[in-house]
């Protein structure tokens, strides 16, 4: 599937070091996805890696020269200086070594400089990400464990390998994660250096709540969770610590987001209130039911009658509760709600903005073409408590999410980072 450009990756220069592992075939896909997302990728292949994959493969997907020797001098002018390891390091925003063999992890941990990956790692001032890949017993060996610990102590990000079946046929932890996981880690690492929400805790709600009728049936809505998950990803790209409170959606959890699964509006409210004391921002993209069945049948309702009449009762309005509570607690510092309307969009959204004491309401007409539930795109108007009103054209839910996160980051610029939980907040 083609990858759309990703803001945090756009125009970033990433070195991809590939060492001699069977997993190196995955690195070609990673390189391709990074380039599609807008990054420039300089690939370094070790001699052992070339036993598994050729320089031509990477040259084809990156459009860049591939570096295979520490004696390489880049006279093409593509690097800040012609000495390859210095030029690569000087121009890099991030250095990813994936896969990283036990041997190279040992060399990196001990400052070796006998190949271009190690030389460049010593020259680099940017963040280094190491993604180990090896048979389970090698990954668990005390030497490897100690070398990885040394690297982490120096600020190197180590991506935990996955459990699974190795080329050897054995099963264990040591498999290089799939490209989406590696991309997610890379995005969050860049976000934590360049983003506008570094060290902020952003809580996002997503999905349609499920209000039980009986143990088998529930009432829900058409929300797919896509807009909320896009907001969570945009917050990660901005370097935030993200907690995603979501109903079951079937969507992959954005990498490094903490997921709290809920079903009903009541469960969602509890999860939100529990997190408020540490939340810098709360963004309520979830489609929370306004009504739920007044009684939940203990057993599956049998089809004895021709019709089933449900008496429904109001659910708690989470956004309203948080909006009122924050008048005393000041938490969260930034509160963003959505308004899913089918008529009088701006009037209804403005009313919510005021009544719920939100900083922003993201108004979307869920009947408009290309907007609302399930779609890949949305059409929103962002109403601010400062009186601002920006109507955005139809665009991807990722782009809408970035527009929201930019505003949240701007509002938080003047707010000190929470170091302690204020006394007045009930535990
Ligand atoms: O999930 P997708 O398929 O991508 O669709 C995206 C979306 C249409 C769900 C999303 O863009 C959206 O509009 N989400 C809000 C849906 C909703 O519940 O809107 P509302 O106008 O009914 O509620 C207003 C706000 O109050 C929302 O922030 C909602 O989360 C919140 N709310 C609503 C009811 C309730 N009992 N408690 C709440 O906190």
């Amino acid at each position: 599937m083609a990858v759309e450009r990703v803001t945090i990756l756009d125009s970033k220069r990433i070195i991809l070091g590939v060492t001699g592992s069977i997993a190196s075939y995955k690195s070609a896909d990673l390189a391709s996805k990074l380039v599609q997302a807008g990054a420039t990728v300089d690939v370094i292949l070790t001699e052992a890696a070339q036993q598994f994959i050729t320089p031509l493969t990477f040259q084809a997907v990156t459009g860049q020269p591939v570096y295979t020797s520490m004696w390489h001098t880049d006279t093409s002018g593509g690097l800040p200086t012609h000495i390859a390891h210095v030029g690569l390091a000087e121009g890099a925003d991030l250095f990813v070594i994936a896969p990283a063999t036990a041997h190279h992890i040992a060399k990196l941990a001990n400052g070796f400089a006998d190949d271009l990956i190690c030389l460049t790692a010593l020259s680099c001032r940017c963040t280094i990400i190491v993604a180990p890949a090896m048979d389970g017993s090698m990954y668990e060996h005390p030497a490897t464990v100690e070398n990885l610990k040394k690297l982490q102590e120096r600020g190197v990000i180590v991506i935990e390998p996955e459990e699974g079946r190795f080329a050897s046929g054995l099963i264990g932890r040591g498999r290089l994660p799939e490209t989406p996981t590696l991309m997610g880690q890379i995005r969050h690492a860049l976000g934590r250096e360049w983003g506008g929400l570094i060290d902020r805790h952003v809580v996002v709600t997503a999905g349609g709540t499920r209000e039980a009728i009986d143990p088998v049936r529930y009432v829900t809505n058409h929300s797919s969770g896509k807009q909320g998950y896009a907001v969570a990803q945009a917050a990660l790209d901005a370097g935030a610590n993200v907690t995603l409170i979501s109903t079951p959606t079937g969507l992959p959890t954005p990498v490094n987001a903490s997921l709290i699964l809920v079903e009903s509006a009541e469960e969602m409210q509890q999860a939100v209130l529990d997190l408020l004391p540490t939340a810098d921002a709360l963004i309520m993209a979830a489609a929370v039911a306004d009504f739920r069945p007044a009684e939940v049948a203990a057993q599956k309702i049998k089809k004895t009658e021709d019709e089933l009449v449900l008496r429904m009762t109001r659910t708690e309005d989470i956004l309203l509760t948080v909006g009122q509570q924050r008048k005393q607690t000041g938490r969260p510092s930034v509160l963003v709600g959505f308004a899913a309307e089918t008529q009088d969009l701006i009037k209804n959204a403005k009313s919510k903005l005021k009544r719920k004491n939100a900083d922003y309401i993201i108004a979307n007409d869920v009947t408009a073409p290309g907007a609302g539930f399930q779609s890949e795109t949305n059409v929103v108007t962002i109403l601010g408590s400062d009186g601002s009103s920006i109507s955005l054209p139809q665009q991807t839910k990722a782009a809408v999410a970035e527009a929201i996160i930019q505003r949240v980051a701007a509002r938080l610029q003047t707010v000190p980072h929470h170091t302690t939980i204020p006394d007045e907040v009930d535990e």
Side-chain angles (χ1 to χ4, degrees):
M1 185 183 82
V3 172
E4 63 190 49
R5 289 183 89 81
V6 173
T7 305
I8 192 64
L9 287 168
D10 205 4
S11 312
K12 289 290 190 303
R13 191 151 195 145
I14 297 174
I15 308 171
L16 176 58
V18 182
T19 62
S21 159
I22 181 66
S24 55
Y25 75 92
K26 292 185 183 177
S27 306
D29 182 50
L30 175 62
S32 172
K33 295 296 189 301
L34 286 169
V35 169
Q36 288 176 54
T40 298
V41 180
D42 295 307
V43 174
I44 304 174
L45 281 184
T46 63
E47 214 170 298
Q50 293 175 64
Q51 300 300 314
F52 296 94
I53 194 161
T54 66
L56 180 63
T57 302
F58 287 99
Q59 206 151 347
V61 295
T62 64
Q64 294 287 114
V66 173
Y67 299 89
T68 56
S69 156
M70 63 194 284
W71 310 115
H72 187 119
T73 51
D74 182 284
T75 51
S76 70
L79 296 177
T81 160
H82 62 291
I83 305 295
H85 67 278
V86 179
L88 284 165
E90 195 57 31
D93 295 309
L94 186 68
F95 187 2
V96 181
I97 302 169
T101 57
H103 177 62
H104 256 83
I105 288 166
K107 293 209 295 182
L108 290 164
N110 291 284
F112 278 47
D114 63 347
D115 72 61
L116 190 53
I117 284 183
C118 293
L119 265 174
T120 308
L122 285 175
S123 310
C124 256
R125 287 189 297 276
C126 66
T127 296
I128 297 178
I129 293 180
V130 164
M134 61 197 79
D135 240 289
S137 48
M138 295 170 69
Y139 181 66
E140 290 158 4
H141 191 287
T144 308
V145 170
E146 193 181 314
N147 288 329
L148 286 171
K149 189 166 174 289
K150 263 189 203 172
L151 290 173
Q152 285 173 308
E153 283 163 359
R154 290 185 209 136
V156 170
I157 297 171
V158 175
I159 297 179
E160 178 85 7
E162 292 177 350
E163 294 267 354
R165 180 187 173 79
F166 299 115
S168 62
L170 298 179
I171 306 283
R173 181 176 293 281
R175 279 177 61 86
L176 184 69
E178 300 305 320
T179 299
T181 300
L182 299 174
M183 288 287 281
Q185 294 285 6
I186 288 168
R187 290 173 71 158
H188 200 203
L190 289 169
R192 281 189 298 231
E193 286 197 42
W194 273 273
L197 288 176
I198 295 169
D199 294 336
R200 294 291 188 178
H201 182 201
V202 176
V203 178
V204 182
T205 68
T209 62
R210 299 175 171 185
E211 310 303 330
I213 297 171
D214 62 25
V216 169
R217 303 179 182 90
Y218 56 77
V219 180
T220 189
N221 56 61
H222 296 293
S223 173
S224 64
K226 288 174 185 171
Q227 185 61 78
Y229 279 57
V231 170
Q233 182 60 65
L236 289 163
D237 287 356
N241 301 315
V242 175
T243 303
L244 175 60
I245 302 171
S246 175
T247 61
T249 61
L251 297 175
T253 304
V255 173
N256 287 348
S258 303
L259 177 68
I260 297 178
L261 267 184
V262 297
E263 295 218 357
S264 65
E266 190 179 7
E267 288 172 0
M268 185 171 277
Q269 166 157 355
Q270 192 53 57
V272 166
L273 295 177
D274 289 347
L275 286 165
L276 281 192
T278 65
D280 289 297
L282 168 64
I283 302 161
M284 293 274 313
V288 186
D290 290 322
F291 295 93
R292 60 175 167 74
E295 281 94 36
V296 179
Q299 303 302 331
K300 181 186 172 188
I301 296 169
K302 304 310 288 175
K303 292 179 292 214
T304 50
E305 310 291 330
D306 288 344
E307 60 177 21
L308 170 62
V309 176
L310 285 180
R311 188 168 63 81
M312 307 282 277
T313 185
R314 285 300 301 274
T315 61
E316 286 290 314
D317 187 328
I318 306 168
L319 184 62
L320 180 68
T321 303
V322 173
Q324 296 310 316
Q325 193 175 321
R326 75 191 280 242
K327 288 175 183 170
Q328 282 74 46
T329 64
R331 296 287 177 82
S333 305
V334 182
L335 178 60
V336 181
F338 274 71
E341 306 293 340
T342 57
Q343 59 185 348
D344 302 331
L345 177 66
I346 301 305
K347 176 168 157 281
N348 289 330
K350 278 184 175 168
S351 156
K352 281 177 180 161
L353 182 65
K354 196 162 174 51
R355 264 185 308 115
K356 306 197 179 188
N357 187 32
D359 295 294
Y360 288 102
I361 286 284
I362 315 301
N364 53 175
D365 173 350
V366 292
T367 60
F373 298 115
Q374 305 284 339
S375 58
E376 295 305 318
T377 61
N378 209 345
V379 182
V380 303
T381 296
I382 301 179
L383 299 173
S385 56
D386 55 0
S388 60
S389 172
I390 312 273
S391 291
L392 300 180
Q394 179 180 348
Q395 53 193 293
T396 62
K397 286 181 172 174
V400 168
E402 282 185 25
I404 296 166
I405 290 300
Q406 278 163 12
R407 284 164 176 79
V408 169
R411 283 287 177 105
L412 280 172
Q413 266 178 352
T414 57
V415 176
H417 280 70
H418 299 321
T419 46
T420 54
I421 296 175
D423 301 334
E424 70 273 16
V425 172
D426 296 338
E427 285 303 320

